[in-house]
Structure formats: C-alpha cells, structure tokens
Amino acid sequence: QVQLVESGGGLVQPGGSLRLSCAASERTFSNYAVAWFRQRPGKVREFVAGIDWSSSRTIYADPVKGRFTISRANDENTVYLQMNSLNPEDTAVYYCAASRMTMTSSPNGMNYWGKGTLVTVSS
C-alpha cells in the first residue's frame, strides 16, 4: 500500500508562486504514473497535471498550461507541482494520486490518493 503525503500548500497573493510536493512511502512509487488533482470550493475534483514514471510525458489541464509544471525525482520518491502566476481561481485543495497503469487524467484510474493540501490565493 503506497501512502502519499502532500505538502507545500498555504496562502499566497495573486501572481505569486508555490511548489507542492508529494512524498511516497514506497520505492515502487517510481514505477507509477502520478497526477495532481484539485477540488475548488463547491466544485467536483478535477485533473490538473500528470507525469509518467520516466518523466518522458506530461499532460496539463488547459487552465494551468504555461503556469504549472509537474516534475518528479524518483530517487527521492517525490513528485512536485510548481505553480506560478497563481490567481484566486486556483484556490483549492490539491491532491496527489498515483496509478499503477498508464498515465491518465481520470480520477477513476488512480490507485492511491493523498489527503490533500490547501492552496489559497487571496490578497
């Protein structure tokens, strides 16, 4: 059972940046595709970004393209989400999820989830 722990959330002003981290408990994490999802207030959980096990392929949701970057350090069992040019619409709980199968943007394709970290963008 892989345990995922997110960190790095907090309060940031519009236009600011944050870097989220997702740390895994197992070294087998390096074999999994990983994605970030978010749930904004009153909204359903939505895909944000994904990365395959080798970092050769990444995908992004349209609202974050050009602003967010997903990366991973398999030797550290960690995946990152660098978030730049944040705006109030990015306020959400951000979740890390891992899939034993191929990379997907569907939450139904994820096998493991973290508990989330809150990002608040406000002046």
Side-chain angles (χ1 to χ4, degrees), residues 2-6 22-23 35-36 45 93-98 111-117:
V2 176
Q3 294 182 338
L4 305 176
V5 179
E6 302 95 336
C22 171
W36 287 94
R45 192 171 299 188
V93 177
Y94 284 74
Y95 298 91
C96 172
N111 301 106
Y112 306 104
W113 289 86
K115 294 183 178 180
T117 185

Side-chain angles (χ1 to χ4, degrees), residues 44-111:
V44 299
R45 192 171 299 188
E46 61 182 0
F47 172 79
V48 174
I51 188 167
D52 69 1
W53 72 273
S54 66
S55 303
S56 63
R57 183 179 172 219
T58 57
I59 55 175
Y60 296 92
D62 285 343
V64 307
K65 281 181 181 176
R67 301 189 298 122
F68 291 11
T69 302
I70 189 171
S71 62
R72 68 190 299 164
N74 284 341
D75 57 340
E76 299 174 358
N77 292 344
T78 303
V79 170
Y80 302 98
L81 184 67
Q82 177 67 43
M83 305 187 297
N84 299 328
S85 302
L86 286 162
N87 59 64
E89 289 68 41
D90 295 316
T91 294
V93 177
Y94 284 74
Y95 298 91
C96 172
S99 170
R100 294 193 298 264
M101 305 301 289
T102 187
M103 183 171 60
T104 175
S105 61
S106 169
N108 294 330
M110 299 297 154
N111 301 106

Side-chain angles (χ1 to χ4, degrees), residues 15-31:
S17 299
L18 281 176
R19 188 176 80 156
L20 305 183
S21 299
C22 171
S25 61
E26 302 289 336
R27 293 188 63 83
T28 52
F29 181 68
S30 63
N31 297 325

